[in-house]
């Protein structure tokens, strides 16, 4: 009988550790997906209120957030605690902003990212464009959190990194990240209190008022515009026609990859329309004139995405250079 191989304890420990890491990597995506599903439920079954900080381009702001769930519908009020007094309210699909001069502006919210990403995320639908990974544990606001990252596989979209409260599943910290995993903007609670929104809210959580940005909400309004050469992975999610106070019509299209989204607005050509690309906070916008129309794309996506979006706009039956 052959004598057993003498394996030193330290070598054996390393081999066992490597095996454990390999198993964690194999199961990490599934575990992370389960935590995202738990987050989806928490955002639509819990009321919470707290103070958070927003960091972008070395600019730090302090905010107060009140999040309520009423019959499965999410209501949020965000108040700036630093700088000029500003408030944002989101309720029943509309976003109302109160400017420092006290003048409110109310718009319909069709797509895009809500605060701390309260729209439902379907991990299975993201597999082709993103990687979902578990990245360990970190303390946030004095609470234990598990870190889940949704990382983009290309340079046409941003991803997210969520620090999920181990007790409730709520995202206590949310980072918008680029294709290298670097944060573009960050939101983090410094204090938070929670309570159940009640059984009615939990029963209605499957159909919240926050639309799935990847869902088909295209109306029957006919359009002469096509976007066949759009950025890879982005599909039509919505189309409607808006009317400005002066009576002019603006066509609005939304394209989504089920996590990121951008809008395209088409209106009669104006001399002061956007030409080229500009940055608006964490969002980018691109514009060009096409045959007497102003075409503008805007979204919390990389500059290359909105550039490709406007470059692919075409009028039916016309070859626009």
């Amino acid at each position: 009988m052959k004598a057993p191989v003498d394996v030193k304890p330290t070598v054996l420990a390393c081999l066992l550790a490597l095996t454990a890491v390999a198993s964690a990597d194999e199961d990490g995506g599934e575990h992370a997906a389960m935590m995202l599903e738990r987050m989806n439920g928490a955002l639509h079954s819990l009321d919470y209120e707290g103070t958070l900080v927003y960091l972008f381009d070395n600019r730090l702001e302090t905010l107060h957030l009140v999040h309520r769930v009423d019959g499965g519908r999410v209501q949020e009020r965000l108040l700036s605690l630093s700088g000029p007094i500003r408030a944002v309210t989101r309720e029943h699909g509309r976003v109302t902003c109160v400017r420092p001069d006290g003048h409110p502006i109310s718009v319909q919210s069709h797509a895009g990212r809500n605060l701390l990403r309260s729209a439902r995320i379907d991990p299975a639908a993201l597999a082709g464009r993103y990687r979902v990974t578990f990245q360990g544990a970190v303390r946030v606001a004095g609470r234990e959190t598990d870190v889940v990252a949704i990382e983009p596989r290309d340079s046409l979209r941003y991803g997210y990194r969520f620090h999920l409260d181990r007790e409730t599943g709520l995202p206590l910290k949310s980072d918008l990240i680029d294709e290298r995993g670097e944060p573009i903007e960050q939101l983090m609670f410094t204090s938070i209190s929670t309570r159940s929104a009640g059984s009615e809210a939990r029963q209605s959580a499957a159909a919240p008022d926050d639309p799935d940005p990847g869902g088909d909400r295209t109306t029957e309004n006919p359009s002469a515009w096509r976007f066949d050469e759009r950025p890879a992975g982005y599909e039509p999610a919505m189309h409607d026609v808006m009317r400005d106070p002066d009576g002019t019509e603006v066509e609005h299209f939304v394209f989504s990859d089920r996590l990121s989204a951008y809008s395209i607005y088409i209106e009669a050509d104006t001399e002061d329309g956007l030409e080229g690309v500009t940055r608006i906070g964490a969002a980018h916008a691109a514009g060009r004139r096409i045959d007497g129309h102003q075409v503008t794309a805007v979204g919390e996506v990389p500059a290359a995405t909105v550039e490709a979006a406007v470059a692919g706009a075409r009028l039916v039956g016309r070859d626009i250079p």
Side-chain angles (χ1 to χ4, degrees):
M1 179 177 178
K2 189 175 182 180
V5 177
D6 181 18
V7 180
K8 293 183 182 295
T10 53
V11 175
L12 180 60
C14 289
L15 290 173
L16 290 173
L18 287 173
T19 302
V21 169
S23 298
D25 286 343
E26 290 173 3
D27 298 336
E30 182 177 350
H31 180 49
M34 291 175 61
M35 287 191 287
L36 287 178
E37 290 291 358
R38 185 173 181 238
M39 180 187 76
N40 288 332
L43 287 167
H44 293 93
S45 63
L46 294 177
D47 290 346
Y48 56 89
E49 181 174 352
T51 301
L52 57 133
V53 293
Y54 169 75
L55 179 63
F56 173 76
D57 268 358
N58 295 319
R59 186 178 77 248
L60 184 68
E61 294 188 30
T62 307
L63 310 163
H64 184 77
L65 173 69
V66 178
H67 174 105
R68 296 286 182 263
V69 181
D70 181 13
R73 294 180 178 273
V74 173
Q75 305 170 0
E76 286 182 337
R77 178 173 174 80
L78 183 68
L79 177 66
S80 174
L81 301 181
S82 57
I85 297 176
R86 298 185 302 274
V88 178
T89 302
R90 184 170 65 89
E91 183 175 4
H92 305 317
R94 295 197 69 83
V95 175
T96 301
C97 306
V98 179
R99 302 187 307 187
D101 61 5
H103 181 67
I105 300 175
S106 181
V107 297
Q108 189 74 21
S109 177
H110 292 292
R113 185 168 69 99
N114 298 318
L115 188 66
L116 291 180
R117 187 69 210 190
S118 57
R120 185 179 183 277
I121 296 175
D122 181 1
L126 306 180
R129 303 294 173 183
Y130 299 88
R131 291 180 295 270
V132 179
T133 61
F134 173 64
Q135 297 189 341
V138 177
R139 280 175 63 81
V140 175
R143 303 165 74 103
E144 295 293 334
T145 71
D146 294 310
V147 184
V148 175
I150 306 175
E151 301 171 312
R153 295 182 182 272
D154 58 32
S155 59
L156 291 175
R157 62 209 85 239
Y158 293 143
Y160 294 89
R161 186 182 297 114
F162 298 109
H163 294 64
L164 304 179
D165 182 27
R166 196 167 288 173
E167 180 182 346
T168 64
L170 288 172
L172 300 185
K173 185 171 184 286
S174 173
D175 301 340
L176 186 69
I177 59 176
D178 61 21
E179 70 276 8
R180 300 167 298 173
E182 298 296 325
I184 301 168
E185 68 173 15
Q186 299 174 292
L187 281 162
M188 182 180 71
F189 278 100
T190 57
S191 65
I192 187 172
S193 60
T194 66
R195 66 180 179 85
S196 173
S199 58
E200 181 184 3
R202 287 194 294 271
Q203 291 170 1
S204 305
D209 66 331
D210 295 308
D212 176 356
D216 183 6
R217 301 179 60 224
T218 304
T219 69
E220 295 300 323
N221 296 329
S223 177
W225 293 89
R226 294 292 179 268
F227 309 91
D228 298 328
E229 300 176 13
R230 57 184 175 270
Y234 289 90
E235 299 297 332
M238 192 274 295
H239 167 232
D240 64 3
V241 178
M242 303 181 298
R243 191 176 296 277
D244 282 346
D246 62 3
T248 60
E249 290 187 346
V250 180
E251 284 199 72
H252 179 208
F253 301 83
V254 175
F255 297 86
S256 170
D257 66 0
R258 294 189 174 271
L259 183 68
S260 301
Y262 64 83
S263 290
I264 292 183
Y265 299 92
I266 300 177
E267 57 189 317
D269 188 10
T270 57
E271 294 183 359
D272 57 352
L274 175 64
E275 283 282 346
V277 182
T278 188
R279 183 178 175 182
I280 311 167
H284 285 94
R288 64 186 291 225
R289 295 183 180 90
I290 299 179
D291 196 39
H293 296 81
Q294 172 66 38
V295 179
T296 307
V298 61
E300 209 165 61
V301 294
T305 305
V306 289
E307 284 185 288
V310 296
R314 295 287 186 273
L315 276 171
V316 175
R318 303 190 188 187
D319 185 14
I320 306 299

